[in-house]
Amino acid sequence: MEQRSLDWMESFDLFGSPTARRQSANTDSARLISYMMPNSAPTDLVQLGSDLFYLAFSFDDHRTDTGSTSRTTDALVNWFHDFMYAITVGTQGCRFHDPYHRAAAELSQRIRELTPPKLWRRWLDLCQGVAWAAAWEAAQRHTGTPGTLDDFLLVRRDLGFATGATIHIEIAAELAVPESERYDLPVKAAVEAAEMLLCLDDDIYSYPKEHWQAEHEDRRMPHEPTAIPLLMREHGCGVTEAFHHLADLRNRIMLRAVRLAERVRSGQYHRDTRTLVDLSLGCVRAGLDWAPNAKRYTDPDGQSEVEIELVWTGITDRPLTTDAPAPYPTIAWWWDV
């Protein structure tokens, strides 16, 4: 899958150098997506998820963190307007020269051809959520407006494209989840909690990488909006204590997600609904297995002789200090259903 994904990206001239291709390979996205998928999933459907993950990581590194679209919120919003147009009209109507737009249009076209119409439409809607989340993040950084962790949690699942992971699981597993059950509160809460866990774990593993990059590029460490800096400000604490706050939060969410999944598993739900919840929780395990060995985190420039030490290992081994509902309104309802 990796070779096919990288060759696919290269066909759109997304790599300006061998180093850029190596950096994309370092995300090891094919391994991540393979961990998430059931073994029986058709290869061409799994490939859709692999291509998306490589493309999303590349966009995050080269368009939101650097490049022209990283300079102003307006530039990013305009870019996403063209992105949404490209994936909606597909390859036949795509008039843009940006290689990311052309690659996304081609990927959308394949999803449209290989999946039921409602899943493709749902994929488009989730991409819209990602666009708005990215615009919010850009506005926070460019205006210096102090947000809260609760603000961040509201957009985190879209910002981390975890919603993209679960829809691609649904596509690859060829699930037919009844719409009435998709929005049933225990089901919705369980899937959202799993998506949040995938993103919060990414925050934990990303922080050492971002700190290393700031040091080696002689620039200030980006402050907000990311989970650990937000917690440092809200609690008036250092990095280590903020990490412990974040680890405690993710473990409380993990316990709630497991209990919600048990309710769905024992309830009168369609088999595909139960499968979606189980596979969504499997994404959490997949992320934990993938991140410690992904060079995206341990060797971000592809040239380091010594790997970055991921000091946050063992996050699932810390005992819970409390299993009380999380004190953040945007996710507190998970404990109410």
Side-chain angles (χ1 to χ4, degrees), residues 200-219:
L200 294 182
D201 288 345
D202 178 70
D203 287 333
I204 288 169
Y205 282 111
S206 289
Y207 192 85
K209 177 199 74 169
E210 291 169 356
H211 189 272
W212 181 93
Q213 287 175 320
E215 285 187 339
H216 283 71
E217 296 171 11
D218 193 26
R219 58 178 172 82

Side-chain angles (χ1 to χ4, degrees), residues 19-207:
T19 298
R21 182 181 173 109
R22 183 169 62 250
Q23 287 177 327
S24 282
N26 280 354
T27 66
D28 206 4
S29 299
R31 182 165 62 91
L32 175 59
I33 201 73
S34 67
Y35 285 172
M36 293 179 173
M37 299 298 175
N39 293 332
S40 59
T43 302
D44 58 342
L45 297 183
V46 176
Q47 190 67 47
L48 296 172
S50 177
D51 291 351
L52 176 70
F53 275 39
Y54 279 106
L55 189 67
F57 277 127
S58 178
F59 171 78
D60 182 50
D61 291 338
H62 301 294
R63 289 304 177 89
T64 59
D65 293 344
T66 60
S68 60
T69 52
S70 69
R71 294 170 190 157
T72 68
T73 304
D74 288 351
L76 187 64
V77 169
N78 286 333
W79 189 95
F80 267 112
H81 171 272
D82 293 346
F83 170 82
M84 289 305 302
Y85 181 86
I87 63 174
T88 301
V89 301
T91 54
Q92 297 302 313
C94 185
R95 62 177 188 266
F96 302 109
H97 299 294
D98 188 302
Y100 284 97
H101 291 149
R102 291 188 286 108
E106 194 273 347
L107 177 61
S108 178
Q109 189 73 36
R110 280 190 285 144
I111 294 172
R112 186 174 189 174
E113 293 168 355
L114 292 171
T115 64
K118 68 177 183 179
L119 273 186
W120 175 71
R121 186 68 248 180
R122 182 169 171 75
W123 187 82
L124 293 182
D125 290 343
L126 293 176
C127 287
Q128 181 75 66
V130 172
W132 280 111
W136 175 86
E137 180 187 43
Q140 290 284 303
R141 287 183 172 173
H142 295 146
T143 64
T145 305
T148 67
L149 185 65
D150 198 46
D151 295 330
F152 180 67
L153 294 176
L154 180 63
V155 300
R156 187 63 185 102
R157 295 179 302 110
D158 285 320
L159 197 58
F161 218 82
T163 50
T166 51
I167 188 64
H168 275 272
I169 288 172
E170 196 170 345
I171 289 170
E174 300 182 280
L175 303 181
V177 177
E179 289 302 301
S180 60
E181 293 187 5
R182 182 189 302 281
Y183 298 102
D184 185 77
L185 291 182
V187 174
K188 182 174 173 61
V191 173
E192 286 191 6
E195 292 170 344
M196 184 67 78
L197 287 162
L198 190 62
C199 292
L200 294 182
D201 288 345
D202 178 70
D203 287 333
I204 288 169
Y205 282 111
S206 289
Y207 192 85

